[in-house]
Amino acid sequence: MSKSDAAVTEEKTKEVRRTSKMKYKMQEKTMIYILEDDDNIRKLVSYALEREGYEVKGFAEPKSFHKAMEEQLPELVLLDIMLPEEDGLTILKKSGATRRQNLCR
C-alpha cells in the first residue's frame, strides 16, 4: 500500500469514528425539567424542546418537581417565577442546596 493509499484509509477511519461519536451523542438526550403552572405554556415549551431532541419532563406544581429532583437531576431547569404555591426563586434556592448536597455525597 502506498503512502497516499494509507493516508486515504486513515482519513476514512477518522471520519467513521467521528460519525460514530456524533451518533452516540445524539442518542444521549439532555434532560430538561419545566415547572410551569399554565398547561398551555408548559405543553408548548415541552413540544418545542422535544422537537429539538431534548428529553423533557413538565411539572404543574412544585411538589412533583421536588420529588423528581430527588430521583434525577436534569441538565437544565426552566422555572416559572410566579407560581401559586411557591415562587420560582425560592424553588431555585432550594434546588441549588439540593444540588450541592448531592455533589458532596
Side-chain angles (χ1 to χ4, degrees):
M1 183 182 321
S2 69
K3 286 185 180 181
S4 62
D5 290 340
V8 169
T9 302
E10 186 177 338
E11 277 302 311
K12 286 182 181 179
T13 302
K14 286 180 182 178
E15 182 61 31
V16 168
R17 287 183 183 147
R18 277 193 294 268
T19 304
S20 295
K21 286 180 183 178
M22 287 175 19
K23 286 180 183 175
Y24 178 75
K25 285 184 179 182
M26 289 173 66
Q27 290 173 353
E28 290 181 18
K29 290 188 175 184
T30 299
M31 174 59 73
I32 299 175
Y33 285 178
I34 301 172
L35 178 55
E36 170 61 63
D37 60 322
D38 186 312
D39 288 338
N40 292 325
I41 294 172
R42 189 176 60 255
K43 288 176 184 176
L44 177 66
V45 174
S46 294
Y47 173 77
L49 290 170
E50 287 169 349
R51 291 277 311 220
E52 293 298 319
Y54 296 101
E55 187 175 350
V56 179
K57 288 186 182 178
F59 306 94
E61 70 283 330
K63 184 178 179 181
S64 59
F65 171 78
H66 290 302
K67 183 175 180 177
M69 287 289 286
E70 291 173 5
E71 295 171 9
Q72 178 185 5
L73 292 175
E75 296 294 318
L76 177 68
V77 174
L78 301 177
L79 293 172
D80 183 353
I81 298 299
M82 297 182 355
L83 295 164
E85 298 170 19
E86 188 176 12
D87 72 277
L89 295 175
T90 302
I91 293 168
L92 180 63
K93 289 175 188 174
K94 285 181 183 179
S95 297
T98 301
R99 176 95 169 136
R100 282 190 297 278
Q101 288 170 353
N102 287 337
L103 290 173
C104 293
R105 290 182 187 166

